[in-house]
């Protein structure tokens, strides 16, 4: 099947993570011929989302210690005398210390099948032209595109019409303060209002492990936990490139704080501050005065320049703020380190938080419906629309380097096909240990929990929450907790999906288990103490460490040619700015005169040559497959609403 692939491209991209997918989309949009391959059988790499059964398969794969031997080395015969090969890694070693736990009766799930699961697809070779696996009820032009993800969810085939700007019939509207006008870029935003719960203190329904397995396709579990700042680089890029039409978003509805053993809601907007019952009138004035200063702190250097060498926590103490206000600002608004972050870093983070308030809702954050793994796939779709060719399950053996020029000229894939290109984008995990000898990697500690109720029960119950838990002890990092409700389409009804993330100091379990024990009930039901009954019960959990390759300089890699660019995996930050900056930097180095991800042309503006056949006449369209029906609670408050870009 590899014979079906062309042998020459302008750009070859290895890996379908977020930075690689953005670069691939930008290159295809600028008219380059792009081949985008991944050795995995799913999109996203370490940015991917999985159904519950898909995640169990991923866990099993990463718990296996066996290394893949090179059974066949016939590809070495394709290397000429004036060339040398840079072998690539055959096994992803970016995930370590994977431990999963079931806190229910695991035996009860024996023989239980996942509802709506498709039979496993046969392993395909290189060039199968399949629909891009993206969750959307919209349609896009027929293109050569990837094989669908076998486990995550039902795929959608590409079709022959342009995607609609918003899903119809879901109560489209706009956030107060913005106006919708024809021709503007839009973000589709899940409505934040949810049906009120009957009783906030209602005892949660008992969820069994067999129910989780049966409803496994209701879960879309992210390997990396992030939110989108409403005025961040990724949102701006989604709007500018019109990739936003391929995704839907929901507001993060509340910011939480963990203080004195209790979880409480943080007032962050002006309305929240003055409506808060937690703060006295004096504290409200103090907080508003400080936040107003942070919005234009650059205009008042005399207020902070004497404290630039101090930590932000020490600077807050000089502002005569109460301990509770200092805690809220440091951990829930600026979200910076108490011991390491300097004053300017804290002021910048606070200003960014405040500037993002009110654009699409009452918090600065958005979350993509169906999980963070949708975002790389959206950029893959844009690349495919503009002619990019996709191949999953397609390992690459080596990079071929010309000895005379020192430039990479081709790759050799696992079929032994040699594919030439001018530029090569490689995700860090593809590089061999010999190439990465001098690289010093950081690690990220991750945990994913399925729980039976929220960490803070309120009315309405459908909340997307972010909580920063201060360090448990000196020298430990703060832990970022993101709790997702079922209306985000990431978990089944009556459950919550909780992500915990922090920079690693030990294994993920050692870093994060103390926080889990503070917030949740992890005991067996018979051993539960009275005080534990008030906490949400953990039904299932997984811990793992993920490599953080962000910030690694290219010259740290040994022997890489100048036309080979390395993309990093996810970093530990809450937002996605690092990935977007990296993608734009790489694109500008390759094509300095081209615009980065410009808006696509309107169909009516395209001028066809006489010999060309318009897309709707080409007869290449395929019928679209529908995605699973949203659950009842999802349809009530997860509907799409068009939110226009502000002038």
């Amino acid at each position: 099947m590899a014979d079906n692939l062309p042998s020459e491209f302008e750009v070859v991209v290895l890996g379908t993570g977020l930075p690689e997918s953005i670069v691939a989309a930008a290159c295809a949009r600028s008219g380059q011929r792009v081949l985008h391959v991944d050795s995995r059988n799913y999109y996203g790499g370490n940015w991917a989302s999985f159904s519950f059964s898909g995640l169990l398969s991923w866990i099993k794969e990463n718990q296996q210690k066996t290394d893949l031997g090179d059974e066949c080395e016939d590809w070495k015969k394709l290397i000429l005398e004036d060339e040398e090969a840079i072998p690539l890694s055959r096994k992803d070693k970016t995930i370590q210390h994977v431990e999963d736990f079931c806190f229910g009766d695991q035996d009860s799930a024996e023989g239980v099948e996942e509802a709506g699961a498709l039979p496993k697809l046969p392993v395909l070779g290189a060039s199968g032209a399949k629909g891009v696996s993206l969750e959307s009820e919209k349609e896009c032009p027929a293109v050569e595109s990837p094989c669908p993800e076998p486990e995550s969810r039902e795929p959608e085939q590409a079709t022959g019409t342009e995607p609609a700007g918003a899903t119809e019939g879901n109560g489209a509207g706009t956030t107060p303060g913005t106006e919708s006008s024809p021709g503007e870029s839009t973000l589709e935003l899940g409505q934040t209002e949810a049906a009120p719960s009957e009783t906030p203190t209602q005892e949660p329904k008992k969820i069994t492990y067999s129910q989780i397995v049966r409803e496994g396709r209701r879960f879309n579990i992210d390997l990396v936990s992030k939110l989108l700042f409403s005025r961040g680089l990724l949102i701006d890029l989604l709007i500018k490139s019109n990739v936003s039409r391929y995704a839907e978003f929901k507001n993060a509805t509340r910011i939480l704080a963990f203080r004195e053993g209790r979880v409480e809601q943080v007032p962050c907007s002006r309305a929240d501050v003055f409506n808060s019952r937690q703060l006295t009138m004096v504290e409200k004035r103090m907080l508003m005065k400080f936040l107003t200063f942070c919005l234009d702190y650059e205009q008042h250097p005399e207020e902070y320049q004497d404290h630039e060498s101090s930590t932000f926590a020490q600077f807050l103490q000089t502002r005569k703020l109460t301990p509770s206000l200092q805690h809220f600002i440091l951990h829930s608004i600026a979200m910076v380190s108490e011991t390491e972050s300097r004053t300017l870093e804290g002021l910048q983070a606070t200003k960014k938080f405040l500037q993002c308030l009110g654009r699409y809702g009452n918090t600065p954050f958005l979350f993509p419906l169906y999980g963070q793994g949708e975002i790389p796939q959206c950029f893959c779709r844009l690349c495919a629309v503009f002619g990019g060719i996709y191949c999953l399950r397609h390992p690459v053996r080596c990079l071929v380097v010309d000895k005379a020029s020192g430039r990479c000229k081709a790759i050799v894939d696992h079929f032994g096909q040699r594919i030439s290109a001018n530029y090569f984008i490689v995700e860090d995990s593809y590089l061999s240990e010999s190439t990465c000898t001098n690289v010093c990697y950081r690690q990220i500690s991750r945990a994913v929990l399925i729980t039976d109720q929220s960490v803070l029960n309120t009315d309405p119950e459908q909340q997307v929450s972010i909580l920063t838990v201060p360090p448990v002890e000196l020298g430990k990092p703060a832990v970022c907790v993101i709790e997702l409700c079922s209306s985000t389409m990431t978990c089944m009804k009556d459950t919550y999906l909780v992500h915990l993330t922090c920079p690693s100091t030990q294994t993920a379990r050692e870093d994060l288990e103390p926080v889990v024990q503070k917030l949740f009930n992890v005991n067996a039901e018979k051993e539960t103490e009275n005080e534990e009954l008030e906490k949400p019960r953990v039904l299932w959990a997984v811990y793992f460490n993920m490599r953080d390759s962000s910030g690694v300089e290219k010259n740290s890699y040994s022997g890489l040619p100048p036309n080979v660019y390395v993309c990093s995996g996810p970093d530990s930050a809450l937002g996605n700015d690092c990935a977007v900056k990296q993608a734009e930097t790489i694109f500008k180095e390759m094509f300095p005169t081209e615009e980065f991800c410009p808006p696509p042309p309107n169909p009516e503006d395209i001028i066809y040559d006489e010999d060309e056949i318009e897309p709707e006449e080409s007869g290449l369209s395929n019928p679209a497959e529908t995605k699973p029906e949203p659950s009842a609670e999802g349809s009530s408050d997860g509907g799409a609403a068009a939110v226009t870009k502000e002038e």
Side-chain angles (χ1 to χ4, degrees):
M1 295 185 71
D3 294 338
N4 296 330
L5 275 178
S7 59
E8 292 186 4
F9 292 86
E10 267 88 34
V11 181
V12 170
V13 184
L14 309 184
T16 53
L18 182 57
E20 306 95 85
S21 300
I22 294 174
V23 174
C27 291
R29 179 66 188 88
S30 66
Q32 313 300 321
R33 289 175 298 165
V34 177
L35 173 65
H36 200 171
V37 302
D38 200 325
S39 59
R40 306 170 181 92
N41 64 351
Y42 54 86
Y43 291 98
N46 285 347
W47 303 78
S49 301
F50 292 100
S51 66
F52 187 70
S53 62
L55 185 64
L56 293 180
S57 299
W58 179 88
I59 290 171
K60 184 178 180 180
E61 178 184 336
N62 281 280
Q63 286 176 336
Q64 294 174 349
K65 302 297 183 183
T66 55
D67 200 357
L68 296 174
D70 201 347
E71 319 89 6
C72 178
E73 297 189 354
D74 289 347
W75 59 270
K76 292 186 177 180
K77 299 175 183 177
L78 299 172
I79 309 301
L80 306 179
E81 290 184 4
D82 61 343
E83 298 171 342
E84 62 180 349
I86 300 178
L88 298 177
S89 176
R90 296 203 58 202
K91 182 173 174 60
D92 183 359
K93 299 180 181 179
T94 60
I95 305 296
Q96 297 178 322
H97 310 300
V98 183
E99 302 177 74
D100 61 311
F101 302 90
C102 178
F103 296 90
D105 183 6
Q106 202 161 359
D107 294 335
S108 66
E110 288 292 331
V112 175
E113 292 186 1
E114 190 176 65
L118 296 174
K120 288 190 176 181
L121 298 173
V123 176
L124 298 179
S127 61
K130 303 291 182 182
V132 181
S133 174
L134 293 173
E135 284 302 324
S136 174
E137 294 180 350
K138 313 174 191 70
E139 301 173 333
C140 77
V143 291
E144 286 192 83
S145 52
C147 303
E149 179 183 342
E151 300 247 11
S152 177
R153 59 186 80 94
E154 292 183 19
E156 178 194 35
Q157 298 288 348
T159 65
T161 58
E162 193 67 12
T167 305
E168 296 180 3
N170 283 332
T174 57
T175 299
T178 63
E179 295 181 359
S180 178
S181 60
E184 286 185 322
S185 300
T186 63
L187 278 176
E188 295 185 8
L189 177 68
Q191 294 173 348
T192 57
E193 287 79 21
S197 57
E198 294 178 9
T199 311
T201 56
Q202 184 179 9
E203 186 175 336
K205 295 181 181 178
K206 185 175 179 180
I207 304 294
T208 63
Y209 182 71
S210 60
Q211 284 178 276
I212 294 174
V213 173
R214 187 178 297 109
E215 295 293 323
R217 288 175 63 79
R218 295 289 181 195
F219 290 88
N220 287 294
I221 303 171
D222 294 323
L223 294 184
V224 59
S225 177
K226 290 182 177 288
L227 295 174
L228 284 72
F229 281 89
S230 65
R231 294 187 189 275
L233 295 180
L234 185 54
I235 288 290
D236 291 343
L237 182 61
L238 288 168
I239 293 172
K240 173 189 173 186
S241 62
N242 208 15
V243 170
S244 58
R245 61 184 168 170
Y246 300 138
E248 297 173 284
F249 299 86
K250 184 176 177 67
N251 272 120
T253 51
R254 60 185 183 178
I255 312 292
L256 303 179
F258 184 77
R259 184 168 173 269
E260 297 177 352
R262 294 175 56 250
V263 176
E264 49 192 22
Q265 190 161 346
V266 176
C268 46
S269 69
R270 183 184 295 271
D272 286 344
V273 169
F274 287 107
N275 289 331
S276 173
R277 296 180 181 177
Q278 304 163 244
L279 306 178
T280 66
M281 285 304 297
V282 174
E283 285 181 316
K284 291 177 182 180
R285 293 192 195 99
M286 284 180 179
L287 181 58
M288 286 308 303
K289 182 179 179 181
F290 180 76
L291 296 181
T292 303
F293 156 71
C294 290
L295 275 172
D296 61 350
Y297 73 91
E298 298 97 335
Q299 309 302 319
H300 306 283
E302 70 281 356
E303 298 276 347
Y304 63 86
Q305 58 187 191
D306 292 339
H307 306 280
E308 288 187 19
S309 59
S310 306
T311 64
F312 187 53
Q314 292 169 337
F315 173 70
L316 292 177
Q317 292 171 3
T318 68
R319 304 295 297 189
K320 299 179 181 178
L321 298 168
T322 63
S324 61
L325 291 182
Q326 291 179 39
H327 183 95
F328 288 162
I329 294 167
L330 183 66
H331 295 295
S332 301
I333 296 179
M335 289 183 277
V336 294
S337 169
E338 186 172 356
T339 57
E340 296 178 6
S341 298
R342 298 295 161 189
T343 297
L344 277 178
E345 183 184 345
L347 290 173
Q348 290 165 358
T350 304
K351 180 177 179 179
K352 181 178 181 179
F353 182 99
L354 297 172
Q355 286 178 326
C356 293
L357 284 173
R359 187 179 191 187
Y360 298 121
N362 209 31
T363 74
F365 305 111
L366 296 176
F367 180 79
L369 297 188
Y370 301 98
Q372 172 78 24
E374 289 297 292
I375 304 299
Q377 294 189 71
C378 291
F379 284 99
C380 289
R381 170 172 282 188
L382 179 65
C383 178
V385 165
F386 284 93
I389 295 178
Y390 278 82
C391 300
L392 296 183
R393 311 180 188 91
H394 197 89
V396 175
R397 292 286 183 254
C398 70
L399 303 173
V400 181
V401 180
D402 181 68
K403 290 182 180 179
S405 64
R407 292 177 65 84
C408 184
K409 57 194 298 188
I411 60 169
V412 176
D413 67 13
H414 68 141
F415 288 111
Q417 183 180 4
R418 183 178 171 125
I419 300 171
S420 301
N422 297 327
Y423 300 99
F424 300 83
I425 317 299
V426 183
E427 200 267 320
D428 175 89
S429 66
Y430 282 78
L431 299 176
S432 65
E433 290 183 2
S434 59
T435 303
C436 303
T437 302
N438 300 322
V439 179
C440 183
Y441 292 113
R442 298 184 297 270
Q443 296 288 325
I444 303 169
S445 291
R446 289 276 292 116
V448 182
L449 317 176
I450 299 174
T451 66
D452 64 347
Q453 59 178 316
S454 174
V455 291
L456 182 63
N457 283 319
T458 58
D459 191 7
E461 62 182 11
Q462 290 292 309
Q463 302 276 3
V464 178
S465 310
I466 175 170
L467 164 67
T468 302
V469 180
V472 177
E473 58 187 67
L474 197 64
K476 291 276 189 179
V479 175
C480 178
V481 181
I482 296 177
E483 183 185 72
L484 305 172
C485 60
S486 56
S487 63
T488 61
M489 305 308 196
T490 59
C491 56
M492 62 179 279
K493 185 180 179 181
D494 298 321
T495 65
Y496 288 82
L497 193 64
V498 183
H499 292 273
L500 295 91
T501 308
C502 74
S504 299
T505 58
Q506 303 176 81
T507 68
R509 185 180 175 189
E510 290 169 330
D511 281 337
L512 299 174
E513 195 171 50
V515 175
V516 172
Q517 291 172 344
K518 280 188 174 186
L519 295 174
F520 302 97
N521 173 12
V522 292
N523 299 318
E525 290 184 44
K526 294 179 182 178
E527 303 171 358
T528 300
E529 302 291 340
N530 289 335
E531 63 268 19
E532 292 288 301
L533 289 173
E534 299 177 3
K535 297 180 181 179
R537 190 164 65 93
V538 178
L539 308 173
W540 182 87
V542 63
Y543 298 88
F544 59 91
N545 290 90
M546 177 184 289
R547 179 192 292 176
D548 179 0
S549 53
S550 63
V552 176
E553 297 293 333
K554 185 179 176 181
N555 55 19
S556 300
Y557 298 103
S558 302
L560 280 188
N563 62 330
V564 174
Y565 300 90
V566 181
C567 285
S568 67
D571 62 345
S572 60
L574 179 62
N576 298 274
D577 285 3
C578 179
V580 178
K581 287 177 181 176
Q582 186 179 55
E584 184 170 8
T585 299
I586 291 173
F587 178 80
K588 287 297 185 183
E589 286 185 20
M590 294 189 295
F591 308 107
T593 60
E594 296 287 345
E595 184 181 357
F596 180 64
C597 282
N602 293 321
E604 58 269 21
D605 295 335
I606 299 176
I607 301 174
Y608 293 93
D609 295 335
E610 291 182 3
D611 296 336
E612 287 186 354
I613 302 175
E614 296 192 17
E616 59 268 23
E617 299 174 359
S618 63
L620 293 175
S621 61
N622 296 316
E625 293 184 24
T626 58
K627 64 184 176 185
E629 286 295 322
S631 57
E633 79 284 357
S635 60
S636 65
D637 65 341
V643 180
T644 61
K645 178 183 177 183
E646 297 171 338
E647 293 294 337

